[in-house]
Amino acid sequence: MEKMTDLKSRKKFYKNLTVELVIMAGTVMLAYYFEYTDTFNVHVQGFFCYETAYTKPYLGPEDTSAIPPALLYAVVTGVPTLLITVTETVLFLIQYTSKDLDSREKTIVNGDCCYLNPLVRRTFRFLGVYMFGLFTTDIFVNAGQVVTGNLAPYFLIVCKPNYTALGCQQALRYISHQEACTGNEEDILHARKTFPSKEAALSVYAAVYMAMYITFTVKAKGTRLAKPVMSLGLMCLAFLTGINRVAEYRNHWSDVIAGFIIGVAIATFLVVCVVHNFKGKQLLNEDPPEDHLSSNPMVSSPRVESPLEKYIASQNHITFAEIT
């Protein structure tokens, strides 16, 4: 009977793992098709002759920006990975060394079948959810850009329309066909994909996720001021990224605001509904009574703590939560 239960637990564990991997792979593939292929055609939005909203200066390709895409992608992937890994390691070591536990209590059971180090489990869980949200944000942004085809503030500079051939000399006309442009096709295509702003969405997503991670996870004394400073610093960097997009005439204000909304919404949803504010049952529990452990080591009786004990524990220990 025990073997049958263990077999069912293993099957359930591997089934859930397979589903999660398939979802993650599908998300990555969809982001790839949006980003690097022409599978989804961009909507061709029209414009009026000499429309001033699209005649801002063109400051060059994205690589010449003050915040180039390579730098942005490196920051939103590298910094959270490093911060989560270091934080989880430090918190685990602090609690690990503060308790006299045997090797059995320093591992957790996953699906009643597979023993995993709690540090590995938490780190991969939080990083996996973060990366999933990063690709999801990219998909939402690319979908919005493809559907709307919103024009960049410098669109007419790279479009280079022939106003004489288009008949703009006699009257103010609305041009809606793609052949109206005579400029570089790659620049024109990029100038049709600005709403919402990808840079604003990715930067604010990373900032909100990490700010909530720092706020909910670190419970040590002396961090009452450090946590809001770090969180507000991350939010400030994301806000400056959006400001830079407008200052360089690469996005409209509406593009940046829409990107901020998407990034904040996805980060908040994942933190609240998926990882439950990074909280759960305590990872390393207190040692059970010796006589009870010898009789039944896998079952522990519930213990009721007084309000005073709870208060003292909250002041003297760093809570290292486990996702259930």
Side-chain angles (χ1 to χ4, degrees):
M1 185 66 181
E2 186 176 343
K3 291 184 177 180
M4 290 293 295
T5 304
D6 184 67
L7 182 59
K8 290 181 180 179
S9 299
R10 286 178 179 273
K11 288 183 178 180
K12 182 178 180 180
F13 169 73
Y14 289 119
K15 179 180 179 181
N16 293 338
L17 180 62
T18 302
V19 171
E20 291 177 359
L21 291 177
V22 169
I23 293 175
M24 187 65 180
T27 304
V28 174
M29 288 299 298
L30 186 57
Y32 171 81
Y33 278 109
F34 266 118
E35 192 74 29
Y36 298 105
T37 68
D38 56 355
T39 304
F40 305 96
N41 294 324
V42 180
H43 171 70
V44 178
Q45 180 175 310
F47 57 92
F48 287 99
C49 298
Y50 306 104
E51 192 167 354
T52 57
Y54 305 131
T55 57
K56 298 296 188 294
Y58 178 54
L59 303 183
E62 291 289 338
D63 294 337
T64 63
S65 172
I67 307 178
L71 175 62
L72 178 66
Y73 297 154
V75 170
V76 299
T77 55
V79 172
T81 300
L82 180 62
L83 185 58
I84 291 177
T85 303
V86 172
T87 303
E88 291 297 320
T89 303
V90 171
L91 293 179
F92 176 75
L93 291 177
I94 290 175
Q95 191 174 10
Y96 187 93
T97 56
S98 66
K99 297 180 181 294
D100 184 19
L101 302 173
D102 57 24
S103 59
R104 178 185 59 79
E105 289 187 285
K106 291 170 184 176
T107 57
I108 60 172
V109 111
N110 183 12
D112 297 330
C113 71
C114 303
Y115 292 91
L116 296 176
N117 186 285
L119 170 63
V120 176
R121 177 185 171 93
R122 281 175 54 90
T123 303
F124 274 89
R125 180 67 181 273
F126 296 155
L127 283 178
V129 172
Y130 174 78
M131 290 300 175
F132 172 78
L134 202 64
F135 284 109
T136 302
T137 303
D138 185 79
I139 291 172
F140 270 79
V141 169
N142 279 309
Q145 292 176 350
V146 168
V147 171
T148 60
N150 198 45
L151 306 179
Y154 60 84
F155 175 76
L156 290 181
I157 304 300
V158 298
C159 176
K160 300 178 181 179
N162 188 337
Y163 290 117
T164 303
L166 295 173
C168 293
Q169 305 299 327
Q170 292 79 14
L172 185 64
R173 297 189 57 185
Y174 182 76
I175 312 301
S176 59
H177 52 279
Q178 190 170 3
E179 292 75 13
C181 295
T182 61
N184 182 272
E185 293 185 0
E186 185 176 350
D187 293 338
I188 295 171
L189 179 63
H190 191 272
R192 292 186 181 274
K193 301 170 64 177
T194 63
F195 181 88
S197 171
K198 180 180 297 184
E199 289 74 11
L202 294 178
S203 61
V204 81
Y205 165 77
V208 171
Y209 189 95
M210 294 311 304
M212 298 178 78
Y213 172 79
I214 294 170
T215 301
F216 291 129
T217 303
V218 181
K219 299 294 183 181
K221 287 184 177 180
T223 60
R224 181 172 297 180
L225 184 61
K227 289 192 294 185
V229 168
M230 292 182 64
S231 301
L232 291 176
L234 293 172
M235 296 300 297
C236 181
L237 292 176
F239 180 73
L240 291 177
T241 301
I243 294 293
N244 177 74
R245 299 298 298 179
V246 178
E248 292 185 348
Y249 306 113
R250 300 184 187 276
N251 286 102
H252 302 278
W253 274 111
S254 57
D255 306 334
V256 172
I257 293 174
F260 283 163
I261 293 174
I262 291 175
V264 170
I266 294 177
T268 304
F269 171 78
L270 292 178
V271 169
V272 174
C273 300
V274 178
V275 295
H276 307 292
N277 297 334
F278 307 101
K279 294 181 180 179
K281 64 183 179 182
Q282 191 173 352
L283 183 65
L284 299 177
N285 297 321
E286 296 290 345
D287 284 327
E290 200 170 299
D291 56 344
H292 183 74
L293 179 63
S294 60
S295 62
N296 195 354
M298 294 305 292
V299 181
S300 61
S301 59
R303 177 177 177 270
V304 180
E305 293 185 74
S306 66
L308 180 59
E309 289 177 324
K310 293 181 179 180
Y311 175 77
I312 295 175
S314 65
Q315 295 297 318
N316 296 332
H317 296 284
I318 299 176
T319 301
F320 194 59
E322 169 58 15
I323 297 304
T324 58

